[in-house]
Amino acid sequence: MKILDGKQTSAALKEEIKAEVLKIKSAGGKIPHLAVILVGHDGGSETYVASKVKACEYVGFKSSLIRYEDNVSESELLAKIEELNSDDDLDGFIVQLPLPKHIDEQKVIEAIDYRKDVDGFHPINAGRLMLGLPAFVPATPMGIMTLLERYQVPTDGKHCVVIGRSHIVGRPMSVLMSNKANPGNATVTLCHSHTPNLKEITLQADIIIAALGKPEFLKGDMVKDGVTIIDVGVTRLPSDKTKSGWKLYGDVAFDEVSPKASYITPVPGGVGPMTIVSLLQNTLLSAKNEIY
Ligand code: GUN
């Protein structure tokens, strides 16, 4: 069993990005600039956004954090997005999700200029990804593809089972794994909450990507020997055994599944750090005009 170490891989990638920023700087070029809009004080969002800003600082990007209280109006948020769309210094920006209930998330996503949509959530980027055209790829699926590539995990001709059909992870993941590419060229089954015979399907999988958000859902008896496991789950549950008072759980029962696996991502330290570094990569791609 080999651990797909997202912490180590993302650290190496950050060094590569940092070196590239230094090169840009010494050539007198423009420093990549990412802005993040954060609405309210959701615990998870605060943590993610802090990590994104810290990662920008580490690699030498310029970053801007724009905060609003929970009661910000949809029109105020849309006006800010318009302003960021036409800010020439900005290479990309994201609006951290979820947003408060009174704000239409889809409307907000569609207001972002797709050429600055480094989250890859805009319908133009989602559509182009589906067609195999250059596009900003959402950070989590992109990070998973990078991890598979760096560890040279075989995917060609394999049966890949994706559990979860979210726009952010499961759906784009299913497209990427079925693409004519390496990694890719897999036969993909996309499962979700209405799949009746899930265990029957996961037992046939060479690769399982668990992205359903249910702690330790995938058990040892649901996988075959030699499987590759990508665990996207990050559920925080209270714990009296940790200093922080909470513990992070993946969607995979690691202790049961790992002895049967060829490759497996841990939680934490697997997919999570890869997500952050992918956002940096997208920002750099945007700064270099490599997608649009
Ligand atoms: N909320 C959870 N994941 C993400 C992400 O990748 N981007 C944004 N904007 N919000 C999120």
Side-chain angles (χ1 to χ4, degrees):
M1 183 263 294
K2 194 163 176 58
I3 295 282
L4 300 172
D5 188 335
K7 205 171 159 186
Q8 199 179 69
T9 308
S10 68
L13 286 165
K14 273 193 267 186
E15 293 310 317
E16 291 172 24
I17 296 170
K18 196 173 175 177
E20 203 162 337
V21 174
L22 280 175
K23 248 202 271 175
I24 294 171
K25 264 188 193 171
S26 60
K30 188 194 146 309
I31 303 302
H33 183 189
L34 173 74
V36 180
I37 298 180
L38 174 59
V39 179
H41 299 275
D42 173 80
S45 293
E46 291 270 6
T47 309
Y48 291 135
V49 167
S51 307
K52 290 171 185 179
V53 170
K54 199 172 137 204
C56 279
E57 279 166 14
Y58 183 79
V59 297
F61 285 4
K62 192 172 160 189
S63 67
S64 304
L65 175 57
I66 301 155
R67 298 195 71 128
Y68 289 102
E69 288 303 321
D70 269 316
N71 61 1
V72 67
S73 69
E74 186 179 281
S75 57
E76 196 178 341
L77 196 55
L78 291 171
K80 176 52 86 176
I81 290 172
E82 268 313 302
E83 188 188 316
L84 300 185
N85 280 342
S86 49
D87 180 344
D88 288 339
D89 189 61
L90 211 52
D91 299 294
F93 67 97
I94 67 168
V95 180
Q96 187 66 27
L97 304 178
L99 291 171
K101 295 252 178 304
H102 67 278
I103 297 174
D104 181 342
E105 241 170 50
Q106 195 55 31
K107 201 164 163 186
V108 166
I109 289 169
E110 291 188 29
I112 298 171
D113 185 330
Y114 68 94
R115 292 163 299 188
K116 290 190 177 181
D117 170 40
V118 285
D119 252 337
F121 294 169
H122 192 283
I124 291 184
N125 281 310
R128 289 177 63 93
L129 175 68
M130 209 194 76
L131 296 171
L133 297 170
F136 288 117
V137 177
T140 301
M142 180 169 165
I144 294 169
M145 295 309 277
T146 307
L147 210 48
L148 293 172
E149 186 187 357
R150 293 258 162 161
Y151 279 90
Q152 298 189 340
V153 176
T155 63
D156 197 307
K158 303 293 182 192
H159 181 199
C160 174
V161 171
V162 179
I163 313 173
R165 57 182 156 186
S166 74
H167 294 172
I168 298 183
V169 186
R171 194 73 61 88
M173 206 59 237
S174 69
V175 172
L176 288 163
M177 289 301 281
S178 63
N179 263 352
K180 200 168 191 166
N182 183 27
N185 277 328
T187 303
V188 176
T189 303
L190 181 55
C191 300
H192 45 75
S193 53
H194 286 236
T195 303
N197 53 340
L198 188 68
K199 184 175 169 183
E200 214 173 279
I201 297 169
T202 55
L203 276 170
Q204 296 171 34
D206 302 307
I207 302 167
I208 299 176
I209 299 169
L212 69 162
K214 285 194 180 163
E216 305 197 328
F217 173 85
L218 192 78
K219 307 286 189 218
D221 66 354
M222 295 170 76
V223 307
K224 69 175 181 185
D225 281 326
V227 69
T228 290
I229 301 286
I230 306 292
D231 188 350
V232 186
V234 266
T235 306
R236 261 206 254 187
L237 293 176
S239 166
D240 51 19
K241 293 199 180 76
T242 63
K243 239 199 291 178
S244 62
W246 52 265
K247 187 175 181 296
L248 219 51
Y249 287 85
D251 288 348
V252 177
F254 186 91
D255 292 347
E256 289 180 22
V257 173
S258 58
K260 297 175 88 174
S262 297
Y263 299 91
I264 187 165
T265 61
V267 174
V271 174
M274 294 303 295
T275 297
I276 306 271
V277 84
S278 301
L279 179 65
L280 299 178
Q281 287 177 312
N282 273 343
T283 305
L284 186 59
L285 285 170
S286 183
K288 297 194 316 187
N289 295 318
E290 284 193 11
I291 305 285
Y292 298 110

